[in-house]
Amino acid sequence: MEKGELKILNKGEEEEMELQGYRLCRWRLALVGFGVLCTGGFLLLLLYWMPEWCVKSTCTRTTARDAEVVLLRSTDEFRRWFLARVRVMLAPGSNPFHSLETQTTSPSSSPSSPSSPFSSPSPSPLANGHTPLPSDGSPAQELIRKFSDYQPTQIRYFTFHSTKYYWNDEMQNFKVLTGLEDLEVSCSTIHSEHSAGLTRNQQEYRRLFFGVNEIAVKVPSVFKLLIKEVLNPFYIFQLFSVILWSADEYYYYAVAIVFMSVISIATSLYTIKKQYIMLHDMVAAHSIVRVSVCRANNDVEETLSTDLVPGDVVVIPSNGTIMPCDAVLISGTCIVNESMLTGESVPVTKTNLPNPLPGEQEGADSAYNTEEHKRHTLFCGTNVIQTRFYTGELVKAVVVRTGFSTAKGQLVRSILYPKPTDFKLYRDAYLFLLCLVAVAGIGFIYSIVLSVMNEVPAKTIIIESLDIITITVPPALPAAMTAGIVYAQRRLKQIGIFCISPQRINICGQINLVCFDKTGTLTEDGLDMWGVQRVEGGRFHLSEESAHKENLVKSQFVACMATCHSLTKIEGQLSGDPLDLKMFEATGWILEEATEEETALHNRIMPTVVRPPKQLLPSQPDVSAEQDMELAELSSLYEIGIVRQFPFSSALQRMSVVSRTLGEKCMDAYMKGAPEVVASLCKKESVPENFAEVLEGYTKQGFRVIALAHRRLGSKLNWHKVQNVNRDYIEANLEFLGLIIMQNKLKAETPGVLQDLHRANIRTIMVTGDNMLTAISVARDCGMILPEDTVIIADALPPHDGQAAKITWRYADKPSRTTRFEEINISLENEGHVEELKTQQLYHFAMNGKSFAIIAEHFPDMLQKLVLHGTVFARMAPDQKTQLIETLQGVDYFVGMCGDGANDCGALKRAHSGISLSELEASVASPFTSRTPNISCVPSLIREGRAALITSFCVFKFMALYSIIQYISVTLLYSVLSNLGDFQFLFIDIAIILLIVFTMSLNPAWKELVSRRPPSGLISGPLLFSVLTQIIICLSFQTITFLWVQKQPWYEVWTPATDVCNHSDHLNVSELNSTEVDEHNIQNFENTSLFYVSSFQYLIVAIVFSKGKPFRQPSYKNWPFVLSAVSLYFFLLFIMFHPVEGIDKFLEIVCVPFEWRLKLFLIIVVNAAVSVLVETFILDIVLWKLAFSRDKQANYGVTPAAPTPQGVIDLQAYKCLFRLCPRKTTPKARYMHLAQELSVDPDWPPKPTTTTEAKPRPENGSAYEIIIHS
């Protein structure tokens, strides 16, 4: 193995990293130590900020296996560096799932396990078969003593982001050990090998690797947080500035900056500490609870949850608990509230893991996976409300994952170690700061040259030249940049939107596409029963309003409606999925669950029983006197017991139950689900021929359609066999019973909000798990698709029987019929410059989850073209929603996602801005959570995002100008060996800058969304033009002032004896300060003139930059800002025209003639007029319009909404621009570039009578072939 070999950790996962091994080198350490001493500790700081430099300067490269230190680098776009120390622990074995007894008795003879992630001299068989997950080096000595015959093994590991990585000899790499899943154990293996529990020795041994079962969010001490905060490069720069100012005797300003820094650090520490405490309290609720654990000898013992390890079997108490780990149910059922993880408050029923019998088909016994088997998995942090259990056989679950490996642990890790927010604004801000540093460099050299020429002492040269750098990089910049976001967060909270990731507020200002879930988001959560349409003998009956009729009470159709659900009673109230509730309520039946006392009397689980009310049952004939009364009562009873549930699965799109009618020998299977899926599992003869037409008729009208089916099971299938039977066995050869038609009403706010978004050129997309035609109908109803727009459905088929994958294109309203074929090739090459854009074609693509998966796999570059106009994505699984978000981001959209938090967790977290409509304030599934249960929060969030983004630009531009204006003043004064005074600096930085910067951020968002977006970065034409023109204006007027004052007839080099104002008593005051004046030369005419002009310039640029419409409310509505600006203007004009001796003395201002004050006032007025003229008229009217017309999505045929009159005008303007500027332009965003290509492609969009086939080309992706049907 090469020394320089690079290892990849977590390959293909979100946390993929490159790893390099290093060994500490003593002579390098000594050299670095010497360097640290020589640089006064600065080198140590540099190595702290740059982990890669730290490792490379103190270590030498080695193999990963022998590494003492590992250097990690993320493979994402941020390419961040981390270092971790490799540790060694001693354990009596090398694999946590080996049996210690086996190892000690026969260490050499035991066969090697292929699944073992660790190699040891003598590997032994798995005791309870899984893959290890390590622990902290908890004392292993006692265990080693117990098994003294076995040679202790050295195990190498390192900890990174609360996860342990162990060296794996087989893989020759470090590996994370998560728990039971790593072994890919099958469901039947969990039942056969893991349901007995562990011995105490096995548990202790595993704990060496897995550690304490705890999501330990350690709240750092204030001292630790303080050190971390103070070592921020910015505060180090401030410390450097303070030392420098103190050396130059600018004590007051230094103290003011220290005071500001202390407040800033204290606020930051308070916020960080509060967040840590909140997170700690959130996870502490379940971290230590008492649990009952089954031991291998059938004993049940009480222990603390912190002792649990994967493989332990825990007993779930009947009164419920908060889960301390991830565990899979192996017996019984539980009702769980998972709102902590998903934001969904509807309780979920969890059933025991299926245990396929050996004789059943192989596909049934799949490897256990928490995602696939989540309906059988109890997740850490979720609340088990109640359990249904067996007598003698308690509700048991096998621990699958513990600590940070659990679902909640991963969630907490993502909060503790968030990815940096990649946003152009922040990248540009650093670039801008570098530009300021470059400007400072020029001033630095200029001041040195000037001072040397004037023979200034060396100490003064050093201090004054370094002072230029501290002036150019403003110390209040980070606090000022954060202010706008903090205010926006506060405003969002007032309208019921909570944010756990404040940095994302700015990104919300860039959103140009929003994906919406349908049910519960665009439409009402609840469904109303519209009617039913039963099937008998393979034919549809006429539709009926309800099934609540006497003649139907004993029909299979009503029995299916009454039994096929996951409802349960919690405190006497029916609870469960809203659809199930509506369906059950429509039958009018009664649901009864067994009490604990009743359950204890039976040898098996008491089923949930459903029965019709007595008044619905047909009346019984008169009972003869000799007949047994009890028997008659029994015969009149009609109730059905639900024996086994197969819960609803998003992937399978169906649920089923096995039930038994009282008095019947055979059991029945009932199924409900998506009509297409249910029909495919039924006998063909039982499905009506016109099934597709009837279904299409309902879905086109926007109804939610559920199909029902039934099957009579054989008498051999007894209760015990049913508990272990495979789902696929039950869900086959069913009889089709008919359709339930539910109405899903649009929320009142939906059409209006979507109209607002369309007007603002923000695309809207529907991503739902519902039927395609229903989704298209809802999209039309809510205005997402306009009535005159065409919808093209993409039906993709996977390759089969040697045929390539293909896509059939058809209209949603007119399904195509196929006949003759002819072939055409689609060219995918760029056609070059687009002289004129095609008139926007109003078409939309729609597809289901299956087609989406096939297109993503076989037509990857076609997918990017489809998402440009894809509006409806139906039958989408949760992971496909996430994949769609990634595809949209891949073509440079800024994507928002709005969902109810249930199936949308992945998509909500992946989008630039995920908004969960949940009543739970602490829904950690998405960055934003809205208490308002409708989509009206989306425009509000985008408006606030835009306002926060524009505020960030305003503040940054203002801070840049502030530092440049001060830099110009100081540079000009340096030429006469003068400077600004200590209190002048103090007045400018505290009274003007801080007051203005914190009030100019208070402008609320504009009341409506406009059709243009703010720029995403500082490095854009209009913004640079704005900053540069204002710099030139300020430079010009300061230079004019500086030169003009020296040309005045009364001008002379100022001394304490100077009296140009004819104030004879002024001499005495000046003489008192003669020593100070002599030393720093602060008091002179140039200083006073520049102080007045520059002070007004700060206020002028603040007003000019504080933009209002179209993204923020006008500045005159921001009364704190107006009050601050007016007060400062009044104060400055007052001291300029009416000198006050005390103020003049404090600010070290000298008296100047009245006519010069009038001239200064004239300079200030002209300066203000020029600044306003350039910013408002030239920039806003000419440059912004030009830049924004280029940025419009509508110009690229991307927005599905009909073009507004303004859009048409902009399109014409854009064409004119092309004629005026015939140079080749390529749009920056990839979606614009693609739209430009497609606008000149005659074969796009594909005609509805065509089929596109995949024709793979080995050398370069795939080509397509269109086959046209006449």
Side-chain angles (χ1 to χ4, degrees):
M1 182 167 44
E2 293 176 27
K3 282 203 170 187
E5 196 180 348
L6 205 67
K7 299 286 184 189
I8 303 291
L9 287 184
N10 308 322
K11 194 160 189 178
E13 293 174 33
E14 200 176 347
E15 283 194 352
E16 186 178 276
M17 289 179 293
E18 294 166 355
L19 177 144
Q20 299 170 31
Y22 284 86
R23 187 182 285 280
L24 285 166
C25 174
R26 287 184 182 178
W27 67 265
R28 287 192 181 196
L29 274 169
L31 208 61
V32 167
F34 180 70
V36 169
L37 286 172
C38 293
T39 57
F42 183 70
L43 180 62
L44 196 63
L45 270 174
L46 205 60
L47 297 181
Y48 170 75
W49 294 330
M50 314 287 276
E52 74 275 25
W53 291 9
C54 177
V55 172
K56 287 173 181 176
S57 61
T58 56
C59 306
T60 52
R61 281 295 293 271
T62 183
T63 59
R65 183 196 176 106
D66 303 321
E68 291 175 1
V69 175
V70 289
L71 185 60
L72 305 163
R73 191 179 195 187
S74 63
T75 56
D76 56 19
E77 66 271 30
F78 305 108
R79 305 290 285 161
R80 291 171 298 158
W81 292 93
F82 306 95
L83 64 90
R85 190 78 187 265
V86 177
R87 302 183 184 279
V88 178
M89 79 169 182
L90 286 178
S94 60
N95 188 319
F97 299 104
H98 284 170
S99 163
L100 284 180
E101 286 80 359
T102 316
Q103 290 185 21
T104 52
T105 51
S106 55
S108 55
S109 59
S110 39
S112 174
S113 162
S115 334
S116 167
F118 300 120
S119 78
S120 74
S122 44
S124 24
L126 296 179
N128 206 335
H130 355 52
T131 301
L133 192 158
S135 96
D136 305 59
S138 44
Q141 302 308 316
E142 197 179 324
L143 268 175
I144 291 170
R145 274 202 303 278
K146 278 186 191 174
F147 300 97
S148 51
D149 300 342
Y150 188 74
Q151 184 66 36
T153 308
Q154 278 196 350
I155 291 164
R156 304 173 68 79
Y157 71 95
F158 68 87
T159 306
F160 174 69
H161 284 180
S162 301
T163 304
K164 290 203 171 169
Y165 293 81
Y166 279 66
W167 177 254
N168 181 330
D169 262 338
E170 235 173 75
M171 289 171 55
Q172 286 294 297
N173 200 354
F174 285 93
K175 187 182 179 216
V176 182
L177 305 164
T178 52
L180 197 65
E181 288 171 281
D182 286 349
L183 279 190
E184 297 180 1
V185 283
S186 63
C187 298
S188 57
T189 310
I190 290 177
H191 279 281
S192 59
E193 294 180 23
H194 299 269
S195 54
L198 304 173
T199 63
R200 197 172 280 104
N201 280 349
Q202 284 173 329
Q203 191 198 43
E204 285 175 18
Y205 171 50
R206 285 187 190 185
R207 211 179 313 128
L208 288 179
F209 292 85
F210 287 86
V212 177
N213 172 36
E214 192 177 22
I215 301 171
V217 178
K218 290 174 183 165
V219 180
S221 65
V222 174
F223 179 73
K224 268 189 182 177
L225 286 173
L226 180 67
I227 295 297
K228 195 173 177 183
E229 188 73 15
V230 168
L231 291 182
N232 180 305
F234 185 77
Y235 287 120
I236 298 298
F237 176 72
Q238 279 195 338
L239 181 67
F240 161 74
S241 304
V242 166
I243 294 167
L244 186 71
W245 294 325
S246 302
D248 202 17
E249 296 177 22
Y250 289 162
Y251 298 122
Y252 295 106
Y253 186 48
V255 167
I257 287 295
V258 168
F259 179 69
M260 275 169 54
S261 299
V262 167
I263 289 175
S264 174
I265 290 169
T267 311
S268 182
L269 288 186
Y270 172 75
T271 311
I272 295 168
K273 182 95 173 170
K274 189 180 169 189
Q275 284 174 344
Y276 268 111
I277 291 168
M278 277 175 65
L279 192 58
H280 176 269
D281 293 347
M282 187 180 84
V283 299
H286 69 270
S287 58
I288 302 178
V289 291
R290 293 203 73 80
V291 289
S292 300
V293 178
C294 298
R295 290 278 167 241
N297 54 6
N298 290 331
D299 286 348
V300 176
E301 66 173 44
E302 286 255 323
T303 183
L304 287 175
S305 59
T306 47
D307 294 338
L308 292 176
V309 294
D312 268 329
V313 176
V314 293
V315 177
I316 312 296
S318 57
N319 59 346
T321 183
I322 291 176
M323 287 301 295
C325 58
D326 286 356
V328 59
L329 268 179
I330 52 169
S331 65
T333 57
C334 294
I335 293 150
V336 185
N337 183 339
E338 292 190 327
S339 58
M340 163 54 222
L341 285 180
T342 63
E344 179 63 68
S345 54
V346 174
V348 182
T349 302
K350 302 279 185 172
T351 57
N352 59 310
L353 189 73
N355 183 13
L357 303 171
E360 293 182 14
Q361 64 262 46
E362 294 206 4
D365 195 13
S366 57
Y368 170 75
N369 176 288
T370 47
E371 189 53 42
E372 275 180 42
H373 297 95
K374 64 181 176 187
R375 285 291 186 170
H376 314 293
T377 307
L378 304 170
F379 292 103
C380 180
T382 59
N383 188 6
V384 178
I385 301 167
Q386 64 185 46
T387 62
R388 313 272 326 279
F389 57 93
Y390 313 96
T391 312
E393 280 189 59
L394 301 167
V395 178
K396 295 179 188 174
V398 177
V399 177
V400 181
R401 297 186 293 198
T402 57
F404 276 101
S405 294
T406 60
K408 183 165 184 179
Q410 296 290 351
L411 202 57
V412 172
R413 277 183 69 235
S414 70
I415 297 168
L416 278 175
Y417 313 106
K419 267 192 173 184
T421 311
D422 178 37
F423 191 41
K424 203 165 180 287
L425 171 69
Y426 304 118
R427 292 201 302 274
D428 288 356
Y430 287 118
L431 208 61
F432 215 86
L433 277 176
L434 282 175
C435 294
L436 290 179
V437 169
V439 171
I442 296 165
F444 179 76
I445 295 162
Y446 162 80
S447 64
I448 290 175
V449 171
L450 202 67
S451 301
V452 168
M453 285 167 66
N454 287 290
E455 297 176 359
V456 174
K459 183 194 171 189
T460 311
I461 292 177
I462 293 166
I463 289 172
E464 290 196 343
S465 51
L466 288 173
D467 203 19
I468 281 275
I469 296 171
T470 66
I471 287 167
T472 318
V473 182
L477 184 63
M481 291 288 283
T482 312
I485 294 172
V486 171
Y487 296 148
Q489 190 174 4
R490 198 172 65 191
R491 286 194 298 269
L492 285 171
K493 196 170 183 179
Q494 285 167 1
I495 56 172
I497 300 172
F498 298 93
C499 172
I500 62 166
S501 179
Q503 293 300 334
R504 291 207 189 209
I505 295 174
N506 270 345
I507 300 176
C508 292
Q510 279 297 302
I511 284 174
N512 54 0
L513 183 148
V514 186
C515 297
F516 292 98
D517 182 36
K518 183 177 80 70
T519 311
T521 304
L522 296 172
T523 60
E524 295 289 353
D525 215 351
L527 293 155
D528 295 321
M529 275 288 290
W530 182 85
V532 298
Q533 191 153 8
R534 294 181 299 117
V535 167
E536 275 181 21
R539 289 188 179 188
F540 278 115
H541 283 255
L542 291 172
S543 59
E544 300 159 271
E545 271 189 39
S546 97
H548 190 63
K549 295 176 183 173
E550 256 189 50
N551 62 327
L552 293 179
V553 74
K554 289 193 177 183
S555 68
Q556 302 290 5
F557 189 90
V558 171
C560 186
M561 287 175 71
T563 56
C564 199
H565 53 71
S566 54
L567 299 177
T568 186
K569 277 195 172 175
I570 297 173
E571 295 174 0
Q573 290 290 314
L574 268 182
S575 176
D577 185 272
L579 184 146
D580 286 352
L581 268 170
K582 284 283 179 193
M583 185 181 75
F584 184 74
E585 284 166 4
T587 63
W589 284 37
I590 299 156
L591 181 137
E592 290 175 354
E593 286 183 328
T595 61
E596 287 185 33
E597 293 77 21
E598 287 173 322
T599 313
L601 302 172
H602 297 78
N603 290 327
R604 57 183 175 80
I605 192 167
M606 270 287 284
T608 298
V609 171
V610 292
R611 58 180 175 79
K614 283 184 180 173
Q615 60 268 28
L616 265 186
L617 287 168
S619 53
Q620 296 292 320
D622 291 336
V623 182
S624 56
E626 64 271 11
Q627 267 187 303
D628 185 9
M629 293 298 288
E630 278 187 29
L631 193 67
E633 196 179 322
L634 192 67
S635 65
S636 69
L637 275 180
Y638 178 70
E639 48 182 57
I640 304 171
I642 301 165
V643 178
R644 173 94 193 268
Q645 256 184 31
F646 295 100
F648 177 78
S649 156
S650 307
L652 299 175
Q653 296 176 357
R654 62 182 185 266
M655 83 160 285
S656 53
V657 293
V658 177
S659 70
R660 188 174 198 158
T661 309
L662 186 70
E664 297 276 349
K665 285 185 181 177
C666 295
M667 295 191 188
D668 296 282
Y670 293 105
M671 177 166 74
K672 78 166 195 292
E676 309 92 328
V677 175
V678 172
S680 70
L681 296 169
C682 289
K683 295 174 185 170
K684 278 189 179 174
E685 62 271 17
S686 71
V687 181
E689 285 180 16
N690 61 340
F691 164 76
E693 291 163 34
V694 171
L695 176 63
E696 197 172 317
Y698 286 124
T699 52
K700 272 185 192 170
Q701 294 172 63
F703 290 118
R704 174 94 180 261
V705 184
I706 308 291
L708 307 183
H710 161 257
R711 175 185 167 193
R712 177 58 64 93
L713 300 173
S715 56
K716 288 182 181 176
L717 203 63
N718 58 24
W719 183 89
H720 184 73
K721 284 181 181 172
V722 164
Q723 296 310 312
N724 298 311
V725 76
N726 183 265
R727 183 172 189 156
D728 294 343
Y729 171 78
I730 297 291
E731 295 174 344
N733 296 320
L734 295 114
E735 296 279 337
F736 192 77
L737 292 177
L739 305 171
I740 296 176
I741 300 103
M742 321 275 290
Q743 204 169 11
N744 196 195
K745 291 175 184 167
L746 277 178
K747 287 184 178 175
E749 302 80 6
T750 298
V753 170
L754 293 179
Q755 202 175 355
D756 288 349
L757 294 174
H758 282 216
R759 271 201 297 264
N761 270 335
I762 295 169
R763 265 190 72 190
T764 51
I765 284 178
M766 187 189 294
V767 192
T768 176
D770 206 344
N771 174 285
M772 165 116 53
L773 293 173
T774 303
I776 291 171
S777 170
V778 171
R780 285 196 187 278
D781 289 349
C782 67
M784 205 177 270
I785 298 173
L786 297 177
E788 64 275 14
D789 293 0
T790 305
V791 178
I792 304 169
I793 294 177
D795 282 328
L797 295 169
H800 65 98
D801 300 335
Q803 290 187 336
K806 60 183 180 183
I807 309 169
T808 307
W809 311 96
R810 61 185 176 92
Y811 280 151
D813 303 323
K814 302 166 228 168
S816 60
R817 294 276 178 265
T818 62
T819 48
R820 187 172 62 79
F821 296 79
E822 77 178 84
E823 300 189 350
I824 312 172
N825 286 324
I826 296 184
S827 166
L828 297 181
E829 290 176 18
N830 186 1
E831 296 293 330
H833 173 55
V834 185
E835 286 288 334
E836 291 208 12
L837 298 168
K838 280 200 296 189
T839 308
Q840 186 177 351
Q841 293 183 34
L842 303 178
Y843 62 90
H844 306 257
F845 288 113
M847 67 188 78
N848 61 25
K850 283 180 184 172
S851 296
F852 179 80
I854 294 161
I855 293 168
E857 186 180 347
H858 299 282
F859 303 85
D861 36 356
M862 169 77 82
L863 185 64
Q864 291 196 334
K865 296 176 180 185
L866 287 176
V867 297
L868 286 187
H869 281 272
T871 303
V872 174
F873 295 84
R875 296 284 188 229
M876 295 285 275
D879 60 322
Q880 288 175 332
K881 290 184 181 183
T882 310
Q883 198 181 344
L884 173 65
I885 300 283
E886 287 171 349
T887 307
L888 290 164
Q889 288 172 337
V891 290
D892 298 338
Y893 276 112
F894 280 89
V895 185
M897 171 75 198
C898 183
D900 56 9
N903 315 327
D904 310 317
C905 288
L908 287 167
K909 288 175 85 174
R910 185 55 55 91
H912 289 109
S913 157
I915 313 149
S916 170
L917 303 184
S918 169
E919 292 176 8
L920 301 154
E921 186 178 328
S923 174
V924 286
S926 66
F928 299 95
T929 304
S930 171
R931 273 188 175 169
T932 315
N934 60 59
I935 63 168
S936 60
C937 60
V938 175
S940 303
L941 183 61
I942 297 172
R943 283 190 299 107
E944 286 297 347
R946 288 179 173 186
L949 187 55
I950 287 295
T951 299
S952 296
F953 289 141
C954 293
V955 168
F956 202 93
K957 283 159 65 180
F958 175 67
M959 294 302 280
L961 257 293
Y962 143 61
S963 58
I964 293 292
I965 290 169
Q966 203 167 71
Y967 169 78
I968 294 166
S969 303
V970 170
T971 311
L972 288 171
L973 290 172
Y974 273 10
S975 66
V976 292
L977 302 182
S978 179
N979 200 347
L980 287 172
D982 196 1
F983 289 105
Q984 288 175 341
F985 274 125
L986 199 64
F987 174 75
I988 290 167
D989 287 353
I990 305 297
I992 299 181
I993 303 306
L994 282 188
L995 194 61
I996 289 295
V997 91
F998 286 118
T999 55
M1000 79 187 295
S1001 304
L1002 284 168
N1003 288 35
W1006 184 245
K1007 52 185 177 286
E1008 60 186 46
L1009 278 175
V1010 292
S1011 62
R1012 65 192 204 195
R1013 289 183 296 143
S1016 59
L1018 287 163
I1019 313 298
S1020 66
L1023 285 170
L1024 285 178
F1025 178 83
S1026 169
V1027 171
L1028 291 173
T1029 49
Q1030 294 300 330
I1031 288 173
I1032 291 164
I1033 291 165
C1034 293
L1035 173 64
S1036 306
F1037 281 96
Q1038 280 202 49
T1039 310
I1040 289 166
T1041 307
F1042 182 76
L1043 297 173
W1044 201 8
V1045 72
Q1046 293 173 348
K1047 296 281 188 290
Q1048 294 306 305
W1050 47 264
Y1051 176 81
E1052 59 185 68
V1053 175
W1054 192 90
T1055 65
T1058 306
D1059 185 20
V1060 294
C1061 296
N1062 302 318
H1063 290 164
S1064 55
D1065 59 334
H1066 202 75
L1067 260 171
N1068 301 328
V1069 176
S1070 301
E1071 277 173 357
L1072 295 173
N1073 293 327
S1074 59
T1075 319
E1076 194 178 329
V1077 169
D1078 287 341
E1079 192 177 336
H1080 290 290
N1081 189 22
I1082 302 295
Q1083 290 177 303
N1084 52 57
F1085 296 123
E1086 290 90 345
N1087 171 292
T1088 300
S1089 302
L1090 286 180
F1091 172 73
Y1092 280 133
V1093 170
S1094 66
S1095 293
F1096 278 104
Q1097 280 182 341
Y1098 298 125
L1099 294 172
I1100 291 164
V1101 293
I1103 289 165
V1104 161
F1105 285 160
S1106 190
K1107 294 248 173 57
K1109 191 177 172 182
F1111 303 117
R1112 303 196 306 165
Q1113 295 279 6
S1115 292
Y1116 61 78
K1117 289 191 177 180
N1118 178 358
W1119 65 265
F1121 175 69
V1122 172
L1123 192 67
S1124 305
V1126 169
S1127 304
L1128 285 165
Y1129 267 120
F1130 179 78
F1131 175 76
L1132 287 169
L1133 286 169
F1134 177 76
I1135 64 168
M1136 195 166 90
F1137 286 106
H1138 189 279
V1140 177
E1141 190 180 308
I1143 295 173
D1144 284 3
K1145 180 183 170 186
F1146 178 77
L1147 292 174
E1148 298 175 83
I1149 297 170
V1150 299
C1151 188
V1152 292
F1154 186 76
E1155 64 268 21
W1156 177 241
R1157 289 177 208 158
L1158 287 173
K1159 286 174 183 173
L1160 283 177
F1161 182 68
L1162 182 70
I1163 289 169
I1164 290 158
V1165 170
V1166 175
N1167 185 342
V1170 173
S1171 289
V1172 170
L1173 187 79
V1174 169
E1175 185 75 16
T1176 310
F1177 292 95
I1178 297 177
L1179 186 76
D1180 283 0
I1181 293 174
V1182 182
L1183 275 177
W1184 275 108
K1185 290 276 167 80
L1186 206 66
F1188 275 126
S1189 67
R1190 272 209 308 271
D1191 189 42
K1192 282 230 173 179
Q1193 292 178 37
N1195 300 334
Y1196 292 96
V1198 174
T1199 307
T1204 56
Q1206 179 61 41
V1208 173
I1209 293 162
D1210 284 335
L1211 189 62
Q1212 296 306 318
Y1214 192 67
K1215 287 178 180 178
C1216 293
L1217 187 70
F1218 262 133
R1219 292 192 186 104
L1220 288 169
C1221 317
R1223 62 190 174 83
K1224 195 166 181 174
T1225 56
T1226 307
K1228 286 181 183 177
R1230 183 159 165 67
Y1231 69 84
M1232 289 182 176
H1233 182 72
L1234 277 169
Q1236 216 178 46
E1237 275 185 25
L1238 295 174
S1239 66
V1240 292
D1241 188 339
D1243 296 321
W1244 193 266
K1247 306 295 181 286
T1249 51
T1250 58
T1251 299
T1252 304
E1253 286 192 3
K1255 296 286 181 192
R1257 286 187 308 195
E1259 74 278 2
N1260 184 23
S1262 62
Y1264 310 117
E1265 203 165 53
I1266 290 197
I1267 302 162
I1268 295 185
H1269 314 291
S1270 63

